[in-house]
Amino acid sequence: MDALRGVEFVTSVADLSTLPPEQGAEVAFAGRSNAGKSSALNALTQRQRMAFVSKTPGRTQLINFFRVGADGFLVDLPGYGYAAVPDATRAKWESLVGGYLRTRECLRGVLLIMDARHPMKPLDYRFIEWLRPAGIPLHVLLSKCDKLSKAEAASTLQAVSAILNHEYDHCSVQLFSSLRKIGIVEAAAKIQEWLGRPDIKKPPVKGE
Ligand code: GDP
């Protein structure tokens, strides 16, 4: 997990023509606005301050690239589902994020953040549809799980897991809380695996 420390901001892009050259491996973070994406990025990279601030005016519609290690990149995709955004803004989001997902060959996987209290909303389904043509691996973080009781969290995990397994071949799902630091090791291991660093320790499997 320590390997995700020390991320460095590389660049922000507002349109596809200025994407950085493809190099190394990329893992993208996506989710509805307010789902907890920035908090998850901060928790996973052990940033104390809000390095990833989705609500900064002007940054909300950009793709932000952060380097991790020599040849890994975390890619913060603009959130979706903002209330009352003009049609033109939505269209621009679709072409930017859709274009990135369709064309980016060094993209190894997408972490999709969903508020555990409101998972699998229509826009989440729609987003997953975009991953389908290229079969991009998906890992869902059911965020803010500290807001659910243990029993509620367990049944949400089971329900979302069943839906996702039915919906999409290349997916996995876990509970996550940035606040209570739940699920950090599991999520970090998935990122490391995608970045091509399988040597990083996975969380222990029960019974081992
Ligand atoms: P983003 O818009 O997806 O980047 O969401 P943010 O990370 O900015 O979080 C949205 C809101 O949810 C903020 O008020 C956060 O403090 C809160 N939040 C994020 N993660 C957690 C969490 O793990 N637990 C709790 N209780 N609140 C969280």
Side-chain angles (χ1 to χ4, degrees), residues 31-40 50 52 54-55 82 113 143-147 176-180:
R32 289 176 63 84
S33 62
N34 225 37
K37 175 166 60 73
S38 312
S39 304
M50 290 299 278
F52 305 97
S54 61
K55 288 167 200 70
Y82 284 95
I113 321 311
S143 67
K144 311 187 199 181
C145 71
D146 56 278
K147 293 197 178 232
F176 192 85
S177 164
S178 303
L179 189 71
R180 299 270 172 247

Coordinates of all heavy atoms in Angstrom, one line a residue, residues 31-40 50 52 54-55 82 113 143-147 176-180, ligand 1:
G31 N -17.1 8.1 -10.8 CA -18.2 8.0 -9.9 C -19.1 9.2 -10.0 O -18.7 10.2 -10.5
R32 N -20.3 9.1 -9.4 CA -21.2 10.2 -9.4 C -20.6 11.3 -8.5 O -19.9 10.9 -7.5 CB -22.5 9.7 -8.7 CG -23.4 8.8 -9.5 CD -24.6 8.4 -8.7 NE -25.4 9.6 -8.4 CZ -26.4 10.1 -9.2 NH1 -26.6 9.6 -10.3 NH2 -27.1 11.1 -8.8
S33 N -21.0 12.5 -8.7 CA -20.5 13.6 -7.9 C -20.9 13.3 -6.4 O -22.0 12.8 -6.2 CB -21.0 14.9 -8.3 OG -22.4 14.9 -8.2
N34 N -20.1 13.5 -5.5 CA -20.4 13.4 -4.1 C -20.3 11.9 -3.6 O -20.6 11.6 -2.4 CB -21.8 13.9 -3.7 CG -21.7 14.7 -2.5 OD1 -20.7 15.4 -2.2 ND2 -22.8 14.7 -1.7
A35 N -19.9 11.0 -4.5 CA -19.9 9.6 -4.1 C -18.7 9.3 -3.1 O -18.7 8.3 -2.4 CB -19.7 8.7 -5.3
G36 N -17.7 10.2 -3.1 CA -16.6 10.0 -2.2 C -15.3 9.7 -2.9 O -14.4 9.1 -2.4
K37 N -15.3 10.0 -4.2 CA -14.1 9.7 -5.1 C -12.8 10.4 -4.6 O -11.8 9.8 -4.4 CB -14.4 10.1 -6.5 CG -13.2 9.9 -7.5 CD -13.7 9.9 -8.9 CE -14.4 11.2 -9.3 NZ -13.5 12.4 -9.5
S38 N -13.0 11.7 -4.3 CA -11.8 12.5 -3.9 C -11.3 12.0 -2.5 O -10.1 11.8 -2.3 CB -12.1 14.0 -3.7 OG -12.8 14.5 -4.8
S39 N -12.2 11.7 -1.7 CA -11.8 11.2 -0.3 C -11.1 9.8 -0.5 O -10.1 9.5 0.2 CB -13.0 11.0 0.6 OG -13.7 12.3 0.7
A40 N -11.6 9.0 -1.4 CA -11.0 7.7 -1.6 C -9.6 7.8 -2.2 O -8.7 7.2 -1.7 CB -11.9 6.9 -2.6
M50 N -6.4 17.8 1.1 CA -7.2 17.4 -0.1 C -6.5 17.7 -1.4 O -6.5 18.8 -1.9 CB -8.5 18.2 -0.1 CG -9.5 17.7 1.0 SD -10.0 16.0 0.8 CE -11.3 16.2 -0.5
F52 N -6.9 15.9 -4.0 CA -7.9 15.6 -5.0 C -9.2 16.3 -4.6 O -9.9 15.8 -3.7 CB -8.2 14.1 -5.1 CG -6.9 13.3 -5.4 CD1 -6.2 12.7 -4.3 CD2 -6.4 13.2 -6.6 CE1 -5.1 12.0 -4.5 CE2 -5.2 12.5 -6.9 CZ -4.6 11.9 -5.8
S54 N -12.6 17.4 -6.0 CA -13.5 17.4 -7.2 C -14.3 18.6 -7.4 O -14.7 18.9 -8.5 CB -14.4 16.2 -7.1 OG -15.2 16.3 -6.0
K55 N -14.5 19.4 -6.3 CA -15.4 20.5 -6.4 C -14.7 21.8 -6.8 O -15.4 22.8 -6.9 CB -16.2 20.6 -5.2 CG -17.2 19.5 -5.1 CD -17.9 19.4 -3.7 CE -18.5 18.1 -3.5 NZ -17.4 17.0 -3.4
Y82 N -24.0 15.7 -11.7 CA -24.3 16.9 -11.1 C -25.7 17.4 -11.4 O -26.1 17.3 -12.6 CB -23.3 18.0 -11.6 CG -21.9 17.9 -11.0 CD1 -20.9 17.2 -11.7 CD2 -21.6 18.4 -9.8 CE1 -19.7 17.0 -11.1 CE2 -20.4 18.3 -9.2 CZ -19.4 17.6 -9.9 OH -18.2 17.4 -9.3
I113 N -16.6 4.5 -7.8 CA -17.0 4.8 -6.5 C -18.5 5.0 -6.4 O -19.0 5.8 -7.2 CB -16.3 6.0 -5.9 CG1 -14.9 6.2 -6.3 CG2 -16.5 6.1 -4.4 CD1 -13.9 5.2 -6.2
S143 N -18.6 3.1 -1.1 CA -18.0 4.1 -0.2 C -18.9 4.4 1.0 O -20.1 4.1 1.0 CB -17.6 5.3 -1.0 OG -18.8 5.9 -1.4
K144 N -18.3 5.1 1.9 CA -19.0 5.6 3.1 C -19.8 4.5 3.9 O -20.8 4.7 4.4 CB -20.0 6.7 2.8 CG -19.4 7.8 1.9 CD -20.4 9.0 1.7 CE -20.0 9.8 0.5 NZ -20.9 10.9 0.2
C145 N -19.2 3.3 3.8 CA -19.9 2.1 4.4 C -20.0 2.3 5.9 O -20.7 1.6 6.6 CB -19.2 0.8 4.0 SG -17.6 0.5 4.8
D146 N -19.2 3.2 6.5 CA -19.3 3.5 7.9 C -20.7 4.0 8.3 O -21.1 4.0 9.4 CB -18.3 4.5 8.4 CG -18.3 5.8 7.6 OD1 -17.8 5.8 6.4 OD2 -18.9 6.8 8.0
K147 N -21.4 4.5 7.3 CA -22.8 5.0 7.5 C -23.8 3.9 7.6 O -25.0 4.2 7.9 CB -23.2 6.0 6.5 CG -22.3 7.3 6.5 CD -23.0 8.4 5.7 CE -22.1 9.7 5.8 NZ -22.9 10.8 6.3
F176 N -16.0 0.0 1.4 CA -14.9 1.0 1.6 C -15.4 2.2 2.4 O -16.5 2.6 2.4 CB -14.6 1.5 0.2 CG -13.3 2.3 0.1 CD1 -12.1 1.7 0.0 CD2 -13.3 3.7 0.2 CE1 -10.9 2.4 0.0 CE2 -12.1 4.5 0.2 CZ -10.9 3.8 0.1
S177 N -14.5 2.7 3.3 CA -14.7 3.9 4.0 C -13.4 4.7 4.2 O -12.5 4.2 4.8 CB -15.3 3.6 5.4 OG -15.2 4.8 6.2
S178 N -13.4 5.9 3.6 CA -12.2 6.7 3.7 C -12.1 7.2 5.2 O -11.0 7.3 5.7 CB -12.3 7.9 2.8 OG -12.5 7.6 1.5
L179 N -13.3 7.5 5.7 CA -13.3 8.0 7.1 C -12.8 7.0 8.1 O -11.9 7.3 8.9 CB -14.7 8.4 7.4 CG -14.9 9.1 8.7 CD1 -14.4 10.6 8.6 CD2 -16.4 9.2 9.1
R180 N -13.2 5.8 8.0 CA -12.9 4.7 9.0 C -11.7 3.9 8.5 O -11.4 2.9 9.1 CB -14.1 3.9 9.3 CG -15.2 4.6 9.9 CD -15.1 4.7 11.5 NE -16.1 5.6 12.0 CZ -15.9 6.8 12.6 NH1 -14.7 7.2 12.8 NH2 -16.9 7.5 13.0
Ligands
GDP1 P1 -16.6 13.3 -4.7 O1 -17.5 14.4 -5.2 O2 -17.0 12.0 -5.2 O3 -15.1 13.5 -4.9 O4 -16.8 13.2 -3.1 P2 -16.0 13.7 -1.8 O5 -14.8 12.8 -1.6 O6 -15.8 15.1 -2.0 O7 -17.0 13.4 -0.7 C1 -18.4 13.8 -0.7 C2 -18.9 14.0 0.8 O8 -18.9 12.7 1.4 C3 -18.0 14.8 1.6 O9 -18.8 15.5 2.5 C4 -17.1 13.8 2.4 O10 -16.7 14.3 3.7 C5 -18.1 12.7 2.6 N1 -17.4 11.4 2.6 C6 -16.5 10.9 1.7 N2 -16.0 9.7 2.1 C7 -16.6 9.4 3.3 C8 -16.6 8.2 4.2 O11 -15.8 7.3 4.0 N3 -17.4 8.3 5.2 C9 -18.3 9.3 5.5 N4 -19.1 9.2 6.5 N5 -18.3 10.4 4.7 C10 -17.5 10.4 3.6

